[in-house]
Amino acid sequence: MSFPHYSEYKDSGVQWLGEVPEHWHNVRVKNIFAIGRGRVISLDEANENGTYPVFSSQTTNDGCLGFIETFDFDCDQITWTTDGANAGTVFLRKGKHNCTNVCGTLQLKSAVDYNLNFGLHYLSFATQFYKRPDTNGAKIMNGEMAEIAMVVPPTEEQTQIAAFLDHETAKIDELVAEQRRLMELLKEKRQAVISHAVTQGINPNAPMKDSGIEWLGDIPAHWVIGKFSRLVSTRKGIAFKADHFTDDGVNVVKASDIKGLTIKQSETCLPNSFLEQYPQAILRTGELVLSTVGSAPEVRNSAVGQIGKVPEALSESLLNQNTVVFTPLALRLTNDFLFFILQTVGYRDHLDLYAHGTANQASINVSDMLDFFVPLPNPDEQIKITRFISEEFTKFDTLTAEAQRAIDLLQERRTALISAAVTGQIDVRQFTEE
């Protein structure tokens, strides 16, 4: 899609804006908007049963934290996230609503004729140039927002640009959503491949028998049933004291470092001498580590029982408390097959059942983690099954990477289109919806 340029341009006087159409004029945000901020509203106050939305710094769920029975605003206004990784993200809020203290508010001054949709698109591009680094990611407070340079086209032109961008970004957003749905389907397919392969094998013609275990159902007739407590040895992490931690030395793996089947490298370290002092806490490449604490099971991304395989980069790291290593006891169970069993829906449900505590902090006993019956093919078949799963995953990874590349390109296109339209680098005055 190509668009014409305006016939005449002038220097905006702002480096990041460059030249803008001759008939547009320059202002600052403070000339157009009354700038305010939300108030402190705790997570405990907001719930699903209230009437009026509470908007916060998060960007998921349209930034809605929950609902309460009162409202602080009854208007259409632009809000922005003031702090954190999402600083500078803007939204258009309408009607009766609330904002927390990490949301700034922009209400049109009474004498200003200005299109809020145009302003939303413009600020989604412009705020990036006014964010400042901060310990929690970034900040863009009321002072920075007030000084953002803006270009203002005639009112009818603002409306036309906003309509064009609403139309085009909606199409792009739908394409992004389709790619994300594909990625979710691929994740579900991965899970299905694991569960089927480790519970029913990869030979569709194998004779089957009743396993006698509800979550398993039928299994290949030549497989046996084993219990983790007889197949797996465990090794708990060490409760190192906070005053032992240093800026460099030996890396420490904590429960919070285990995410998405991998273990990330944290900045927390212990003195090198601790390797000799605590040999039982030393991790080796390929070992399987599970968290024994976390949030409640329904909060899947940080829930108790997260699994990670130790990467080579973290070999010789030390294992902190609230974690446990699972190691196959004998040749009857291979490490890779165990890794996949730990990912099955059956085992995840088992961990959820035995986790106890509150929504913010749940835990599970190692003895409960081991009280689990599993299907057990012979070691040669386990190797074939894990090889099959790995080959299938390679296909899924390729498709997932392609989907992510498509998303990245679409988002780049979206950003470029917005910046070009709101700064007058393209002329969309003749645009009409298809």
Side-chain angles (χ1 to χ4, degrees):
M1 186 183 300
S2 61
F3 299 93
H5 298 287
Y6 287 84
S7 58
E8 295 183 77
Y9 285 86
K10 66 182 178 181
D11 184 2
S12 68
V14 180
Q15 184 176 5
W16 59 268
L17 267 176
E19 292 189 332
V20 297
E22 175 68 32
H23 62 290
W24 292 15
H25 65 276
N26 293 30
V27 296
R28 301 279 177 179
V29 164
K30 63 186 177 184
N31 302 126
I32 297 179
F33 294 102
I35 305 172
R37 194 164 182 177
R39 63 180 174 88
V40 175
I41 302 175
S42 70
L43 183 61
D44 292 336
E45 293 179 66
N47 58 70
E48 295 181 358
N49 300 317
T51 304
Y52 304 106
V54 176
F55 297 112
S56 71
S57 63
Q58 68 180 29
T59 55
T60 56
N61 194 30
D62 196 36
C64 184
L65 182 69
F67 298 83
I68 58 177
E69 289 304 321
T70 60
F71 59 88
D72 294 334
F73 303 99
D74 185 6
C75 61
D76 293 356
Q77 64 177 351
I78 294 173
T79 68
W80 86 92
T81 300
T82 60
D83 297 74
N86 300 318
T89 306
V90 290
F91 297 92
L92 180 58
R93 307 301 186 191
K94 297 185 176 183
K96 297 174 180 177
H97 60 276
N98 301 275
C99 294
T100 68
N101 60 310
V102 289
C103 288
T105 62
L106 299 173
Q107 294 184 26
L108 283 177
K109 291 183 176 180
S110 57
V112 173
D113 186 11
Y114 187 78
N115 187 293
L116 278 179
N117 275 347
F118 175 82
L120 182 74
H121 288 299
Y122 184 90
L123 289 172
S124 72
F125 162 67
T127 54
Q128 64 181 302
F129 300 103
Y130 291 81
K131 290 191 291 187
R132 55 184 166 89
D134 187 69
T135 53
N136 67 348
K139 278 184 182 292
I140 181 165
M141 308 307 288
N142 289 33
E144 287 93 6
M145 178 59 73
E147 297 303 322
I148 290 180
M150 302 188 76
V151 285
V152 181
T155 304
E156 290 184 4
E157 207 166 322
Q158 292 176 38
T159 302
Q160 181 71 358
I161 293 170
F164 164 76
L165 288 175
D166 287 346
H167 181 265
E168 294 301 313
T169 57
K171 291 195 298 185
I172 293 173
D173 291 344
E174 179 54 35
L175 292 172
V176 169
E178 287 178 8
Q179 294 300 317
R180 287 187 171 141
R181 285 193 291 270
L182 172 60
M183 292 172 74
E184 286 300 313
L185 288 172
L186 289 168
K187 284 174 63 176
E188 292 174 9
K189 181 65 174 175
R190 287 172 70 104
Q191 185 61 59
V193 166
I194 291 173
S195 295
H196 187 275
V198 302
T199 61
Q200 298 185 41
I202 56 176
N203 178 5
N205 300 316
M208 307 295 281
K209 68 179 180 182
D210 183 2
S211 68
I213 299 172
E214 184 176 356
W215 80 270
L216 269 178
D218 290 344
I219 61 173
H222 62 287
W223 288 17
V224 296
I225 297 296
K227 192 176 183 181
F228 269 164
S229 58
R230 296 176 182 175
L231 296 168
V232 174
S233 66
T234 59
R235 192 170 83 252
K236 284 278 286 180
I238 303 296
F240 298 112
K241 295 181 180 179
D243 57 6
H244 289 156
F245 295 137
T246 61
D247 292 332
D248 54 24
V250 183
N251 193 259
V252 182
V253 171
K254 307 180 296 298
S256 58
D257 298 327
I258 308 170
K259 291 189 183 297
L261 304 178
T262 59
I263 303 174
K264 68 176 184 178
Q265 184 162 344
S266 68
E267 297 178 358
T268 307
C269 296
L270 288 166
N272 289 312
S273 60
F274 278 40
L275 288 170
E276 293 183 6
Q277 191 172 350
Y278 299 100
Q280 70 274 32
I282 299 174
L283 289 172
R284 308 298 182 197
T285 301
E287 287 191 311
L288 308 180
V289 184
L290 289 82
S291 62
T292 58
V293 299
S295 53
E298 57 268 21
V299 190
R300 280 290 191 182
N301 289 336
S302 58
V304 61
Q306 292 296 298
I307 311 162
K309 181 181 285 190
V310 178
E312 186 175 355
L314 291 180
S315 182
E316 303 296 317
S317 295
L318 290 167
L319 188 62
N320 201 8
Q321 63 180 337
N322 302 326
T323 52
V324 60
V325 174
F326 271 31
T327 305
L329 270 175
L331 293 177
R332 292 182 62 200
L333 179 61
T334 66
N335 193 65
D336 287 340
F337 194 76
L338 172 60
F339 187 44
F340 288 127
I341 288 177
L342 295 175
Q343 298 174 50
T344 59
V345 173
Y347 190 64
R348 306 314 301 165
D349 289 345
H350 174 80
L351 294 181
D352 292 352
L353 179 64
Y354 283 94
H356 50 85
T358 66
N360 294 326
Q361 186 70 37
S363 62
I364 189 168
N365 298 324
V366 174
S367 58
D368 290 329
M369 298 173 83
L370 295 175
D371 187 19
F372 186 71
F373 289 93
V374 297
L376 207 62
N378 64 58
D380 287 341
E381 192 170 355
Q382 291 178 38
I383 292 171
K384 291 178 182 178
I385 290 171
T386 55
R387 186 181 297 128
F388 167 80
I389 294 173
S390 297
E391 290 171 353
E392 291 296 299
F393 280 8
T394 298
K395 301 174 188 176
F396 297 147
D397 289 342
T398 299
L399 293 171
T400 299
E402 289 175 358
Q404 185 59 58
R405 280 194 295 272
I407 288 173
D408 293 342
L409 290 172
L410 286 165
Q411 289 177 332
E412 287 175 12
R413 165 68 175 167
R414 189 184 197 277
T415 300
L417 201 60
I418 291 173
S419 65
V422 299
T423 61
Q425 305 312 301
I426 57 175
D427 183 353
V428 299
R429 287 175 292 182
Q430 302 305 315
F431 165 78
T432 57
E433 292 188 17
E434 299 171 357

